[in-house]
Amino acid sequence: MVAGFLALRLYAVLGKRTGHEQALPKPSEERVAVPPAQRTIDQAPEARDINPRVIETGAESGLKAVIAADSSFDVAQFIDGAKSAYKMILEAFWKGDEDTLAWLVEDDVRAGFSQAIADRKAAGHVLENRLVAIERAMISDAVVEGKSARITVRFDADIAAVTRDADGNVIAGSLSDAVETHDIWTFARSLRSNDPNWKLVETDEA
């Protein structure tokens, strides 16, 4: 999974979990690279570029603006990559894998994750969480602001979560009973940059 995701140049990333055990820190930034698009920069966005199944009401006009400003942007590929990133970031946080988080997030976001991981270790807690399924990933907002584009994605997922103490005893949760989670992540990218990577700039609960 990791190798495959790197091969895609981390073309999408997302999420902050809500709900059970230890909450994710709140900040931001993550990378998302978008594969080359089929259309030239001179072409206006067409209806086929906007898939209503992955876009909430009100986001379509913003996405058309993003597509018009960035000919490399592809909605479907962005969503697919976002799902993969969501899984990777959550799993890295749950495992306390700061090396993986280091290349997935920017320094200020990494600091938030690192503090949450440190607090967890200090309490002697270990998470045994599993992402059961991403039920839905929808673009809820998109906007072009000056030289930058921002895209917000809502994730609805089922997560099985268990927290154990230092002795291995279960103190919260159950791996046999998944919990519904609803997360909102916002990504931004400079439209003037040759770098195709997007950064996660905001996380929130739905």
Side-chain angles (χ1 to χ4, degrees):
M1 169 66 89
V2 173
F5 196 64
L6 285 172
L8 289 175
R9 298 181 62 194
L10 190 57
Y11 97 100
V13 186
L14 7 347
K16 158 191 173 283
R17 101 174 181 60
T18 70
H20 33 276
E21 38 41 70
Q22 183 173 353
L24 287 175
K26 235 176 186 174
S28 312
E29 312 194 303
E30 229 301 297
R31 298 186 183 182
V32 187
V34 184
Q38 301 298 315
R39 142 186 89 248
T40 69
I41 195 167
D42 297 321
Q43 293 175 302
E46 302 175 4
R48 63 182 174 81
D49 298 315
I50 306 296
N51 182 349
R53 292 178 298 177
V54 296
I55 301 168
E56 293 185 359
T57 303
E60 183 171 327
S61 61
L63 277 176
K64 287 182 177 179
V66 172
I67 293 170
D70 181 1
S71 64
S72 70
F73 183 79
D74 182 277
V75 174
Q77 291 177 334
F78 182 88
I79 285 293
D80 286 343
K83 290 178 180 178
S84 295
Y86 184 72
K87 176 180 174 66
M88 291 184 69
I89 294 172
L90 290 180
E91 290 182 346
F93 174 70
W94 293 336
K95 295 175 182 177
D97 184 354
E98 296 192 55
D99 289 338
T100 295
L101 289 173
W103 61 265
L104 287 173
V105 305
E106 290 295 324
D107 290 344
D108 58 338
V109 183
R110 181 186 179 188
F113 283 126
S114 296
Q115 184 60 58
I117 291 170
D119 291 345
R120 190 168 71 213
K121 288 181 178 178
H125 294 168
V126 175
L127 302 184
E128 293 185 6
N129 295 1
R130 178 169 59 90
L131 178 60
V132 177
I134 297 175
E135 299 293 345
R136 187 177 70 155
M138 297 280 288
I139 294 175
S140 60
D141 192 28
V143 63
V144 174
E145 299 176 335
K147 301 177 182 179
S148 299
R150 293 170 61 93
I151 297 176
T152 300
V153 182
R154 169 180 169 134
F155 295 91
D156 297 327
D158 296 326
I159 295 176
V162 165
T163 302
R164 296 184 183 273
D165 62 20
D167 297 322
N169 300 310
V170 175
I171 58 176
S174 169
L175 285 177
S176 62
D177 186 15
V179 177
E180 293 183 4
T181 64
H182 308 286
D183 305 319
I184 297 175
W185 286 7
T186 299
F187 303 90
R189 175 180 177 270
S190 171
L191 298 173
R192 300 288 180 86
S193 173
N194 292 324
D195 185 350
N197 290 324
W198 292 68
K199 293 183 177 181
L200 179 63
V201 296
E202 185 177 345
T203 65
D204 202 353
E205 299 180 3

